[in-house]
Structure formats: C-alpha cells, structure tokens
Amino acid sequence: MLDPRFRGSDIKECMENLDQIFVQAKRTVMNLAESVLPQPLVLLVSMLISIGVIAAIGPVIMMYLTWLERKVVGRIQNRIGPNRVGKFGLLQPIADGIKMLTKEDIVPEGADHILHFLSPVLVVVPALLVLGLLPWGRNMAAVDLQVGLLLFFAITSTGTLSIFLGAWGSRNKFSLLGALRAVAQLISYEIPQVFSAVVVIMHTQTISIVEIVNAQPGFNWFVFTPWGFTGLVLFYIASVAECNRTPFDLPEAESEIVAGFHTEYSGMKFALFYMAEFLQVFSLSALAAALFLGGWQGPFLPSWIWFFLKTYGLIFIMLWFRGTFPRLRVDQLMGFAWKFLLPMSMINIVVVGIWTYASPIVAWVLGILIIAISFGVLAKLNTRYHIERNRKFILAE
Amino acid sequence: MWGTGVLKGMAVTIKNFFDTYTSKNGIFTVEYPEKRLPEKERFRNFPILVYDEKPEELRCVACDICAKECPPKCITIVKAKDAQGKPLKQPEVFDIDFTVCMNCGICEETCPFDAIYMDHEFELAEYDRMDALIYKKERLSRPWTHFEKIRPTDAKEINERRAKDATKTAAAVKPAPPQASNQQT
C-alpha cells in the first residue's frame, strides 16, 4: 500500500505543511512584495491580502450555506433539495445570484431613499468585519486583537441598527413591526450570550479569541467541563436568536408580518440581508467553536479543517433546529431569554468561579450539582401553571 | 422533564434526515424527466384517431357524432368528397383543439366505429399558443398497435367485440350499414 520509504514522520511533516499552507502562501507573496515594493507599501499589501481573502470567502460561505440549508432541510422533510443546476445542485447558489442581480430593484414611493439604500450595505459590513477576528487555523487569524471577543460582540450588535434603519426607511408597517421585534429580541439575547461567553474569559483570563483557542490544546476543550457544556448550550441558543433564525425568527415571521424587516427589499438588496444573516450564522458558529470547542485545536488533521468541521457541525445543528421547531411566541421568546437563559448563565459564572478555586474533584461534583439543581429549579419555575384535571365546570342555566 | 419534548422532536427530524440516506422509504421523489412513474392503463389525456393498416385509412367515417357530443366543442370534422362530389366515408378535415379539449373522454365513449380513443401522451408543450395546439388529422392518427400497447385490457375487449361483429356482418346476405354498436369501452 504505502511506499516503504514513506515513514510516519513524513506524514507528520506533510500534515504540518498542509496545516500552514495558507500561511506559507501569504508569506511567499509577502516575500515577493518585499523584494519589489518599499516598506510601507508592503504593509498595505499584507493588509490587502487578508482583506481580499476574507471579502472573497464571505460571499462564498454565504452562497454555499444557502445550498446547505436547502439540502439539509430538504432531507429532514424527506425531499432531495436543489438538484437541477449542476451536480447535486452545486451551481444553484450561482444561478440564484444571477437571478438576484438581474431582478428589478424596487424602492417604495414613500420610502426614505437614502436609508433604504444604506441599510443593506451597512448590514453586511459588520457581518464581514467579524470574519477578520476569527482564528481560522493555527497562525491564521487576520488580526489578533487583545480585545477580540469584546470587539466581536460590539460589531455584531451593530447589525441590529442597520436592520432598524432599513425597516424605518421602508415606510411599511410590517417592516417596522419586524424591526421592533428584531431590536427587542437582539437586545434581550445579547445579555445571556455575552454572559455565557464571560465564563470563558474568566477561565482563560484573556479577551483575545486567539488566546482563548490556545488555552484549549489537544482535547482540553472547554465543552468537556460542566460550565463549558452549559456555556456552549446557552451561548448557542442565544446565538440562534441573535441571527434571527428559527425558532427565533420573529423579526421575519412570514406567517405574521409578510417578511418582517426586509418586506420592501428585492433583488440584490434582499440578497445582502440574506448574506448578512448567513454570515452571522457562520461567524457565531465559528465563535462558539472557538470559545468552547477548541477552535482549530484537534489532532492529526490540519488546523483549518478542524475549524471548518466544528463550525459546520454547529451550523448543521442550526439547520436541524430550523427543520424541527415552530416559531416561538413573543412572550415565550422574551420569557425564555430573561427567565431562563439569563439566570442560568449567571449561575454558570458562579460555577466557573468555583472551578477556578476548588480542587478538581470538588469542582466537578459541585459544578454538576449546581447546574443540575438550578436547571431543575428554573425549569420548575418556568413551567406554566396547569389547571387541575378534575375541575368542575358549572354551566349557566 | 422540562426540555425533553424539544429533544424528542429533534430525534424525529434527525431520524428522517438519516433515513433519506439509509432507508428505501426515506426519499420517495421520482426525479421526473430522468425517471417516471409507470403509467396507469386507465389514464387518459387527449384523443387520438386509430387506423388498422395504413395511416390514410382511418377507422373514422366522419359521422360527426363525437363533434356533436363534445362538451367544449373542440372537434371540427369535414367529410371528404370524391371527384363527383359524393361524400365519402372518411374525414377531409379532423381537427382537435387541444387548448379547448378538457380530456373528458366522451368522444371515445360515443364513437360507434371504435375510431377515437384517449391517449396517454402528456408532454405536449409548444412554443405557439394558437396553431401548434390545434392537432390536424395527421398528427392525431396512431396505429391500432399503439392502442394495444398502451391499453392492453381495453384493446383485448374491443378486438373480441369487433371480431364478433365482423363475423355477424359477413353472415348477413346483404352488407348492412355498419351496426351502431353502443358498447362503451
């Protein structure tokens, strides 16, 4: 089978090369640039390479996420999904893109033209921006900021603003209702989301995403601890709500308010909203993977493959949610965020505090105990009051 | 326990997801242009005119019964005439407007000469809305063997009845006018 001269160390070396293939590629281009260009321009080239790659990979990820979503949801519903354009429908996103580009761009008469135009542009910017903060692999973060996580949350929350901007500019009651819902929902879910990420910051003593990933070498992922697991679940649920996906898709609830905040958008502007949503799905899944699943950490396979495996695994769960759950009611949505996720994430912070100061066995037992008990209590408190079965109804005569 | 319903629901959907890859009952889609479901024998779509041997010698005698019975009046028949102007027992024009036809099959039921039958053909899209969908005599005519192929049970019955009728006609001294057999196929 294998060439006898081909030893295990060769495979290891080959894997290491494969691991750093993108880093090497960039270094080669940089060396080339250094020999031709003056120093300040080389810096510019370095930036442009990173920006160019991220700006190119963003739309590609979005396009194939639409394909993946249609395929997975189709399979869940016993359908095949797109299969006409190209093998397995792989060219479907391109066909859709051409369709979107050639569609008529309609701006409502009463709309605020500037806001209406600005909103889809502004909504994509933060979604693309956060991709630069992600560690795509070993030495593969575009920028390794000391406040990466903080900036990540700061940038993602500005997406809400552009959603409201567009809905307000559309001058449509459905748009405005959708946007009001979006703002209410995103503000409420931002808090448990950040709280459940605070756990990781407490443990690793850093806000840099790259450093957080470095703190989980091998299989020491945070998800294998009681607080990590709880944190992942809470963070993930909050993330699903953050990107307005089912079962938290109230801002664009088709059956209630037409299409929510993007009712008045067509063609490429609509596609940009869609792109922002899918990029957010990707970046939040990637962040969840980085915080709790060890990011690119993993044995044998190249680091960037591990990163994509984990990210797409989490994305698959989001699509799975979409194929399973009906939409929540507004009061259920708010109640879930404030009455369950928030207290649970606060208790999780207590657990990680104990984890830091107690001995391992005590920390494990106490951690599991606290989480289990508080889950039980919160579940009991969240269950609705049930009317007794043998209640007597006296009819009026 | 709180939350188990959610997990139960997710178990159902993921089972369906994996069934599409593993189980035969997972995906029941028939990908139409490449594959298709077997045709049902009693399926009917648009009428055809049958002939026994030569395409010019249709069974149709241009009696106009089907045209009169046709509810949306989509059939146009003009009797053929010979050189002396005497009407012949064959149609000069036999047009069916497929844009009007409603696939009821009454023409087939009323035809006393077993000449018009409903076909199985359904891929009839045309680029022209008007003329291309008015089917002339030539486009409507099909050999009897075609009918035997698409509807074997009906064809057997009709063949038997026609054979019986033929022997009866031959036994009669004078060749009687074609018997109006009102059997329904």
Side-chain angles (χ1 to χ4, degrees):
Chain A
M1 296 268 281
L2 270 172
D3 194 326
R5 285 166 297 170
F6 202 75
R7 291 192 311 278
S9 58
D10 286 340
I11 300 176
K12 207 178 170 194
E13 197 181 312
C14 176
M15 275 298 163
E16 263 161 28
N17 282 335
L18 208 61
D19 184 30
Q20 293 299 304
I21 189 164
F22 296 111
V23 181
Q24 289 294 346
K26 192 185 169 183
R27 199 166 294 156
T28 316
V29 178
M30 291 302 297
N31 285 340
L32 205 73
E34 249 168 20
S35 58
V36 197
L37 297 167
Q39 196 56 38
L41 278 178
V42 172
L43 205 66
L44 195 71
V45 168
S46 163
M47 284 177 189
L48 282 179
I49 291 169
S50 299
I51 292 170
V53 168
I54 284 168
I57 212 167
V60 173
I61 286 170
M62 174 263 173
M63 281 161 82
Y64 280 92
L65 274 184
T66 62
W67 175 83
L68 187 74
E69 173 167 37
R70 292 170 69 179
K71 274 284 186 192
V72 170
V73 174
R75 288 279 172 175
I76 284 173
Q77 295 162 357
N78 292 349
R79 294 182 286 112
I80 300 174
N83 62 344
R84 291 287 108 181
V85 196
K87 189 83 182 156
F88 307 121
L90 274 171
L91 297 178
Q92 184 71 44
I94 294 161
D96 284 345
I98 292 167
K99 189 202 89 176
M100 284 294 187
L101 279 170
T102 49
K103 264 179 101 165
E104 189 188 353
D105 177 36
I106 298 165
V107 182
E109 216 172 54
D112 186 330
H113 287 236
I114 297 166
L115 292 190
H116 190 266
F117 172 75
L118 214 56
S119 163
V121 180
L122 284 182
V123 83
V124 174
V125 172
L128 272 174
L129 212 56
V130 291
L131 293 183
L133 297 168
L134 296 172
W136 299 79
R138 190 178 282 123
N139 312 327
M140 266 170 70
V143 275
D144 176 13
L145 281 180
Q146 285 305 309
V147 288
L149 196 56
L150 205 60
L151 189 65
F152 192 101
F153 288 126
I155 293 171
T156 44
S157 54
T158 56
T160 322
L161 198 65
S162 12
I163 285 175
F164 194 81
L165 209 67
W168 182 262
S170 302
R171 198 167 188 166
N172 177 315
K173 55 179 174 286
F174 296 116
S175 295
L176 195 58
L177 276 173
L180 290 172
R181 284 178 176 195
V183 172
Q185 175 180 333
L186 297 187
I187 287 172
S188 348
Y189 276 87
E190 197 94 60
I191 298 162
Q193 191 191 23
V194 176
F195 264 124
S196 47
V198 161
V199 172
V200 179
I201 301 171
M202 277 174 75
H203 186 76
T204 54
Q205 312 270 315
T206 173
I207 324 182
S208 156
I209 302 174
V210 177
E211 287 297 315
I212 288 170
V213 175
N214 286 338
Q216 319 174 50
F219 270 118
N220 292 326
W221 305 346
F222 292 150
V223 72
F224 301 129
T225 58
W227 55 269
F229 181 74
T230 321
L232 176 65
V233 173
L234 296 177
F235 183 83
Y236 200 67
I237 293 171
S239 301
V240 174
E242 278 287 291
C243 20
N244 302 334
R245 292 188 60 80
T246 22
F248 307 105
D249 60 344
L250 284 104
E252 43 193 291
E254 298 97 337
S255 46
E256 300 160 24
I257 45 172
V258 192
F261 60 86
H262 53 58
T263 305
E264 292 293 356
Y265 284 93
S266 64
M268 210 53 206
K269 285 181 184 166
F270 170 74
L272 285 177
F273 273 115
Y274 230 70
M275 183 163 143
E277 188 189 316
F278 274 102
L279 282 179
Q280 224 171 16
V281 167
F282 181 83
S283 56
L284 284 171
S285 296
L287 187 69
L291 293 184
F292 299 101
L293 292 172
W296 45 262
Q297 302 273 15
F300 196 66
L301 286 174
S303 57
W304 42 276
I305 290 188
W306 270 110
F307 171 81
F308 278 108
L309 271 179
K310 289 169 187 172
T311 307
Y312 275 94
L314 288 176
I315 289 171
F316 178 81
I317 295 174
M318 262 196 210
L319 305 181
W320 185 6
F321 279 175
R322 181 168 171 205
T324 310
F325 300 129
R327 191 177 304 123
L328 264 72
R329 237 167 33 215
V330 179
D331 61 322
Q332 289 170 336
L333 178 95
M334 288 297 160
F336 189 60
W338 293 104
K339 292 195 261 174
F340 180 76
L341 289 182
L342 186 62
M344 202 67 201
S345 57
M346 283 178 165
I347 286 157
N348 208 22
I349 290 171
V350 175
V351 171
V352 81
I354 292 167
W355 186 270
T356 319
Y357 292 109
S359 63
I361 302 163
V362 178
W364 265 96
V365 173
L366 218 58
I368 292 174
L369 218 63
I370 290 174
I371 287 168
I373 289 171
S374 50
F375 177 80
V377 170
L378 283 176
K380 196 79 197 161
L381 290 175
N382 272 296
T383 8
R384 277 186 303 153
Y385 166 70
H386 286 292
I387 299 164
E388 279 171 49
R389 280 288 159 78
N390 48 9
R391 182 174 160 184
K392 270 184 196 154
F393 291 93
I394 299 160
L395 298 172
E397 286 171 36
Chain B
M1 205 182 82
W2 200 61
T4 41
V6 166
L7 295 177
K8 225 180 272 175
M10 287 179 76
V12 170
T13 44
I14 202 71
K15 189 183 163 292
N16 272 283
F17 178 82
F18 285 118
D19 272 0
T20 57
Y21 293 103
T22 54
S23 158
K24 264 188 186 160
N25 304 325
I27 280 187
F28 34 80
T29 314
V30 179
E31 289 181 74
Y32 161 61
E34 288 89 33
K35 295 172 203 160
R36 53 174 69 197
L37 291 169
E39 275 173 4
K40 299 277 190 296
E41 203 186 318
R42 282 294 172 93
F43 166 63
R44 66 161 192 257
N45 204 29
F46 284 113
I48 49 167
L49 295 172
V50 293
Y51 58 84
D52 285 313
E53 275 114 37
K54 277 182 275 177
E56 307 88 64
E57 292 173 13
L58 293 169
R59 281 189 188 170
C60 179
V61 296
C63 66
D64 219 24
I65 291 175
C66 54
K68 286 200 178 72
E69 288 289 333
C70 179
K73 300 277 177 267
C74 67
I75 306 176
T76 310
I77 302 173
V78 175
K79 235 178 163 79
K81 285 178 180 154
D82 64 1
Q84 284 81 44
K86 265 172 74 182
L88 294 171
K89 280 188 177 178
Q90 52 180 298
E92 171 80 53
V93 177
F94 197 110
D95 292 354
I96 299 179
D97 191 345
F98 277 13
T99 59
V100 176
C101 176
M102 63 178 198
N103 324 81
C104 62
I106 288 177
C107 48
E108 172 182 319
E109 284 172 20
T110 53
C111 182
F113 301 98
D114 308 313
I116 188 164
Y117 285 106
M118 306 305 278
D119 197 9
H120 285 181
E121 181 61 39
F122 56 90
E123 288 158 322
L124 301 154
E126 293 284 354
Y127 283 101
D128 183 14
R129 203 152 60 97
M130 306 310 291
D131 292 336
L133 281 166
I134 297 173
Y135 274 54
K136 306 266 181 251
K137 193 171 70 175
E138 291 75 25
R139 277 176 87 188
L140 287 169
S141 51
R142 298 274 188 287
W144 179 245
T145 47
H146 169 77
F147 182 77
E148 277 173 332
K149 208 172 72 197
I150 60 169
R151 283 162 64 177
T153 320
D154 288 344
K156 203 174 150 227
E157 207 175 283
I158 293 161
N159 274 341
E160 274 168 15
R161 199 191 65 232
R162 281 177 69 83
K164 217 159 72 187
D165 286 355
T167 46
K168 225 186 274 174
T169 325
V173 187
K174 274 186 208 162
Q179 284 183 338
S181 52
N182 58 351
Q183 282 94 336
Q184 289 178 357
T185 51

